[in-house]
Amino acid sequence: MEKDNSFEDLLRNAEAGDMEAQFNLAVMYYYGEGVEQDRVEAAKWYRKVADQGDAKSQFMLGVLYLKSDNYLDAATWFRKAAEQGMVEAQFNLGLMYEKGDGVGIDHYEAAGWYQKAAEAGDMNAQYHLGLLYSMGWGVDEDQAKAMELLHKAALQGHAQAQCSLGVYYLEGGDVEQDYQKAYFWLVIADKNEDEFAEMFMDEVSEFLTEEQMEEIRAEAEEWMRLRQGVRF
């Protein structure tokens, strides 16, 4: 791929220490925009900006290390970005603590980072934190809090949260059993390609009439249609 004059100008500015040029050059190499894709070159330029304290570059370095299965360095750079308030890094660091990738498994630490990201509206963090509350891992077990977080994530389109919410309504116990609400959320989860939703839909269908299920499917489709492009 031939490099144009704009690339040469960008490279010259980056080599002269221009932080914005260094970041843009890293992006070009990462995505292969205007140059051949080269993750090693991308990492080199991201590192230069990350060492100057840029949270986005620190996060991207974490991503690159994660892609190469270097979990220890990934966690190090995610932490630097997370401590500066970068939501994506906070979630990723929480996930690493939950799974024990590059750090020891620590559900308390995972919950703390998920909480920060969840408060900023990150649906993945809301979902994972909801699961921790449902299990009582790293936090006191609180099914009401788990439901609240899963509902927030479900409203944003998180398929696994939608399925989990449906299962809560199916099983009852800590929440009021409601087969119609269960079927509603499971239909939506299934349309969003959750791998377990169909199985639970079959279970719920034993408690509903065909007319009820048809009405709920129509309501679910309308719910999804109205929320296309909506940001929460």
Side-chain angles (χ1 to χ4, degrees), residues 1-12 14 20-43 45-46 60 64:
M1 183 179 296
E2 185 177 349
K3 303 181 182 68
D4 58 23
N5 291 332
S6 61
F7 172 85
E8 299 300 337
D9 291 339
L10 187 66
L11 178 60
R12 184 165 49 252
E20 183 177 359
Q22 292 170 342
F23 179 82
N24 290 337
L25 193 59
V27 171
M28 290 177 69
Y29 275 117
Y30 183 84
Y31 292 105
E33 297 176 349
V35 293
E36 292 291 341
Q37 188 178 55
D38 188 332
R39 295 289 170 81
V40 174
E41 278 294 304
W45 291 105
Y46 276 132
M60 289 306 301
L64 284 165

Side-chain angles (χ1 to χ4, degrees), residues 111 114-134 139-140 142-156 158 160-162 164-165 168:
Y114 285 152
Q115 182 68 40
K116 291 178 185 295
E119 288 175 352
D122 185 89
M123 67 177 180
N124 293 310
Q126 291 166 346
Y127 169 69
H128 281 269
L129 185 59
L131 294 185
L132 292 184
Y133 271 108
S134 72
V139 291
D140 292 332
D142 187 333
Q143 299 301 330
K145 185 67 175 178
M147 280 280 289
E148 175 189 341
L149 287 160
L150 291 173
H151 190 257
K152 287 181 177 180
L155 287 175
Q156 295 193 73
H158 195 289
Q160 291 171 291
Q162 292 163 347
S164 297
L165 201 55
Y168 259 99

